[in-house]
Amino acid sequence: MLYDIVIIGSGVAGLSAGIYAGRANKSVLIIEDNNIGGTTVTLPNINNYPGFTNISGVELVSNMYKQCLNFDVKFDFLRIDSIDFDRNIIRTDNNIIEYKTLIIASGSTYKRLNIDTEEKFKLHGLSYCAVCDGNLYKNKKIIVFTKNNSAINSVKYLKNLTNDIIVMDISNGFAFDGIECYHNVLPIEIIGDTNVKGIKAMIGISEKVLNCDGIFVDLGKVTDIDLYKDNLQNESGFLITDENLHTNIPNVFVAGDIRKKSLRQIVTACSDGAIASTEAIKYLSKNIF
Ligand SMILES: Cc1cc2nc3c(=O)[nH]c(=O)nc-3n(C[C@H](O)[C@H](O)[C@H](O)COP(=O)(O)OP(=O)(O)OC[C@H]3O[C@@H](n4cnc5c(N)ncnc54)[C@H](O)[C@@H]3O)c2cc1C
């Protein structure tokens, strides 16, 4: 089957792209290999998406999904084996999908500490995103995990909200100016009942328990760009675009967290989706198929 626009990923970037493409009367397929809604659907409370004092990820994503369906956007749940960028073909287990334009919106995930208690305290005092959750810790005591200087921007952002910050560096490299900083830290256990109360860690050769109200982990992000990396320009795992989200291939665009950019948030992912779709629509108008 041939589509005007195929979108890989049904996070908020992909859904926004779908809404804009569907409203322009294009034939659109969104391919997802997991759940609709990507990371956003897992968030119980979003309070920085403009227009909503508080909305759950499920509600936001459900609304966007309905908008897509209203504009006749199709969804398919499958695993992509390969993409032939010369012939505009996506290969799956038992199918071939053809596209005129392609929007890649397959997101990224945060690197984790990989300790047992991590899952339990996620959203209960353990965060991976200073811009998302920093505001919850105004004037509170927080610990930030970094690997070398990976958390430098998070620390700068959090300094707007509290002076009570300790940095724990799992490597041995970086000094954060004017901030208490431990190096060679091996986290052992997050301490707390329902909410984070502290962390137990090896610092050098001694075990320590430090109390805090919240823990931020900023060890960087991981993307899966295996499908694209031989054809699309990329850097440190992120795909490179120009400001209108064009890649080095004229009919391929990128939106959302998988893109090299400075702020990875729902609002910027949605904005990317809208821009990428509009550029794909322009491409279709210029190139009569
Ligand atoms: C804990 C946490 C809290 C956050 N809180 C906030 C907040 O309060 N406010 C805010 O603005 N932002 C927040 N963010 C950031 C926000 O969630 C992301 O910026 C946003 O979800 C990015 O959307 P996306 O569509 O680019 O990617 P994603 O949400 O990652 O979606 C990508 C989708 O692509 C799919 N996919 C990946 N590879 C393939 C493939 N090969 N084939 C098919 N499908 C594929 C994935 O399954 C996924 O559904 C938070 C992030 C986290 C982790």
Side-chain angles (χ1 to χ4, degrees):
M1 174 101 188
L2 171 68
Y3 291 89
D4 292 328
I5 302 180
V6 170
I7 299 163
I8 302 177
S10 74
V12 287
L15 292 173
S16 301
I19 294 166
Y20 275 70
R23 288 191 83 222
N25 205 25
K26 299 299 167 197
S27 59
V28 188
L29 174 70
I30 298 185
I31 299 174
E32 172 58 58
D33 69 1
N34 203 327
N35 297 325
I36 299 267
T39 308
T40 304
V41 83
T42 66
L43 306 176
N45 295 298
I46 299 160
N47 42 44
N48 62 354
Y49 190 73
F52 296 93
T53 47
N54 187 38
I55 186 165
S56 72
V58 170
E59 191 180 352
L60 185 63
V61 162
S62 307
N63 288 341
M64 293 174 78
Y65 180 56
K66 280 184 219 150
Q67 283 174 290
C68 282
L69 295 180
N70 286 344
F71 298 119
D72 208 23
V73 172
K74 307 284 183 243
F75 287 80
D76 209 341
F77 296 85
L78 43 84
R79 182 132 202 96
I80 297 172
D81 284 340
S82 64
I83 303 174
D84 183 336
F85 287 95
D86 294 324
R87 295 166 62 202
N88 300 339
I89 283 173
I90 293 172
R91 290 199 178 81
T92 70
D93 264 1
N94 51 12
N95 203 356
I96 278 183
I97 297 161
E98 288 180 272
Y99 61 83
K100 294 178 188 171
T101 61
L102 179 66
I103 298 176
I104 298 167
S106 47
S108 64
T109 49
Y110 288 91
K111 287 188 187 159
R112 299 161 56 95
L113 287 174
N114 289 326
I115 52 177
D116 280 350
T117 38
E118 197 164 357
E119 202 50 42
K120 173 177 168 193
F121 289 106
K122 213 167 107 185
L123 306 170
H124 297 280
L126 172 65
S127 172
Y128 298 86
C129 172
V131 178
C132 307
D133 299 327
N135 191 265
L136 303 172
Y137 299 92
K138 240 183 200 167
N139 300 320
K140 298 211 167 149
K141 179 169 185 167
I142 53 182
I143 289 176
V144 181
F145 274 90
T146 188
K147 182 173 183 190
N148 214 318
N149 66 351
S150 61
I152 188 159
N153 288 326
S154 295
V155 171
K156 280 185 186 161
Y157 182 84
L158 292 166
K159 273 172 81 178
N160 295 308
L161 298 159
T162 178
N163 290 322
D164 209 349
I165 301 176
I166 296 175
V167 171
M168 299 195 113
D169 179 6
I170 63 168
S171 70
N172 60 3
F174 196 75
F176 285 78
D177 259 0
I179 291 185
E180 187 179 351
C181 186
Y182 296 94
H183 299 286
N184 295 314
V185 174
L186 177 69
I188 299 171
E189 186 188 350
I190 297 168
I191 294 168
D193 32 50
T194 40
N195 290 312
V196 166
K197 291 203 169 134
I199 182 103
K200 188 194 281 183
M202 293 295 293
I203 299 174
I205 52 165
S206 42
E207 187 177 297
K208 269 194 190 263
V209 173
L210 296 177
N211 296 328
C212 63
D213 301 303
I215 297 174
F216 284 83
V217 177
D218 184 354
L219 305 175
K221 300 199 88 182
V222 235
T223 54
D224 184 354
I225 60 164
D226 283 356
L227 288 169
Y228 328 115
K229 68 177 192 297
D230 294 337
N231 294 279
L232 298 181
Q233 285 171 0
N234 57 84
E235 190 183 308
S236 310
F238 295 96
L239 300 177
I240 295 177
T241 65
D242 67 11
E243 65 174 310
N244 289 322
L245 311 194
H246 291 245
T247 65
N248 51 299
I249 300 181
N251 65 337
V252 179
F253 307 84
V254 179
D257 278 15
I258 193 167
R259 190 166 84 76
K260 182 174 182 248
K261 61 178 184 175
S262 63
L263 182 64
R264 294 192 174 85
Q265 289 280 279
I266 297 167
V267 71
T268 58
C270 291
S271 160
D272 280 2
I275 294 170
S277 229
T278 307
E279 292 300 309
I281 293 160
K282 277 191 212 162
Y283 177 91
L284 290 167
S285 309
K286 274 192 271 171
N287 297 273
I288 308 298
F289 286 85

